[in-house]
Amino acid sequence: MTQYETLFLRHPANPILTGKDWPYSINSVFNAGATLLQDGSTLLLCRVEDRRGLSHLCAARSVNGVDHWKIDREPTLMPNAEQYPEEVWGIEDPRITYAPELKKFAVAYTSYSRGGPGVSLALTEDFRSFERFGVVMPPDDKDAALLPRRINGFWALIHRPMTPLGAHVWISYSPDLRHWGNHKLMLEARRGAWWDANKIGMSPPPIETSRGWLMIYHGVRRTPSSSIYRLGLALFDLQQPEKCLIRGDSWIFAPETAYERQGDVQDVIFPCGYTVAADGDTLNLYYGAADSSIALAHGSIRALLSWLEANGHSEHSGDRRHR
Ligand code: BMA
């Protein structure tokens, strides 16, 4: 039997955070955004679901990014339906990007409105106070993250609008983070039997490498019994991020362990954040497992890029067999 290469290794302490660790009563914790703080410690902005079913965000900090988490005693960012009606059913799945120009972290998250999920944006310096921008992409849209710097003078937001033709990844541009336009299709869900047919979305924010923006994205395979969330890779041009340079054919990481296969939603791995270790190569990928806990897996950026070279194809080859 062909042996597939292992690109992500699960941490033996998985799951590293569950609802039992929380200082207040919750249902579950999953899908956390991640970033390194100035002192080298790790911050996770976790999606916490309460027993009403509504989510808010809560920060957890750890020196080594694995254990001894210091979790905020109270929710860090609560939905504020009075001022932001789009948050009436909660806020979910934050992705964090540090923008050196602003000297601030940009948090793109899903606001769950009566009209469906939309994308909201907030800026923060310390994950204690937040400047909310409200909805930047109306429903139905989610899986968003800001690129860390302007591209040709414009901020760029990657997101996943739902269309009658499927759920594909798009990128949009803005001069001021408030007015968005120049929308471009970035990565299309494949069709038919593919693991990433019909519905895909960016997982954590893209990773900037010398060869391009490396995107870890999820593909949702609908089966008669469930939906399976798996991860794949694609690489995009640094100066023109809507241009896909290489796309991997097979998925590279999938639900396998008990905590990924069983939980509130079975067969889901859902990373919203990563940190890069001091060696500049080791990737610490934080992912929600079965919508019930947070887990950690390690990979190597170099290994992901070589795998793509060997197992991907150019989206511009005109070869439509892959669609
Ligand atoms: C997606 C998102 C994620 C969730 C996943 C599985 O659509 O809503 O928050 O983890 O479904 O339920």
Side-chain angles (χ1 to χ4, degrees), residues 30-31 47 92-93 142-143 160 199 229 265 268 270 291:
F30 50 111
N31 302 2
R47 170 176 173 190
E92 310 178 346
D93 302 356
K142 53 164 68 172
D143 299 333
R160 203 286 310 277
K199 185 175 177 183
Y229 280 72
V265 184
V268 178
F270 203 89
D291 283 11

Side-chain angles (χ1 to χ4, degrees), residues 133-253:
F133 282 63
V135 178
V136 290
M137 294 293 159
D140 187 333
D141 206 328
K142 53 164 68 172
D143 299 333
L146 189 74
L147 291 191
R149 55 182 171 78
R150 293 174 193 258
I151 307 288
N152 303 316
F154 291 89
W155 294 106
L157 187 86
I158 300 173
H159 56 112
R160 203 286 310 277
M162 275 294 221
T163 77
L165 290 180
H168 312 300
V169 179
W170 287 66
I171 188 166
S172 304
Y173 293 92
S174 169
D176 57 5
L177 297 174
R178 289 191 187 275
H179 304 90
W180 293 90
N182 198 16
H183 313 289
K184 299 258 164 59
L185 181 61
M186 200 176 174
L187 193 70
E188 227 177 311
R190 282 181 270 218
R191 306 186 60 181
W194 282 85
W195 69 274
D196 56 355
N198 306 317
K199 185 175 177 183
I200 60 171
M202 180 177 58
S203 276
I207 303 156
E208 189 167 6
T209 76
S210 56
R211 292 207 244 156
W213 300 101
L214 177 61
M215 185 194 286
I216 301 175
Y217 71 96
H218 55 267
V220 186
R221 170 75 172 270
R222 255 166 245 161
T223 77
S225 58
S226 73
S227 291
I228 312 175
Y229 280 72
R230 303 187 182 108
L231 303 181
L233 296 177
L235 189 71
F236 299 86
D237 189 88
L238 281 179
Q239 288 316 315
Q240 204 190 327
E242 56 270 16
K243 186 173 168 200
C244 182
L245 305 174
I246 320 177
R247 180 182 193 162
D249 288 337
S250 337
W251 52 263
I252 54 155
F253 196 54

Side-chain angles (χ1 to χ4, degrees), residues 67 99 101 104 142 262 274 284:
D67 52 20
E101 179 188 324
K104 286 178 184 158
K142 53 164 68 172
Q262 294 148 28
Y274 63 84
N284 307 310

Side-chain angles (χ1 to χ4, degrees), residues 85-103:
E86 67 275 7
E87 299 181 358
V88 65
W89 288 336
I91 55 178
E92 310 178 346
D93 302 356
R95 271 92 168 176
I96 304 170
T97 304
Y98 184 71
E101 179 188 324
L102 306 171
K103 296 197 178 64

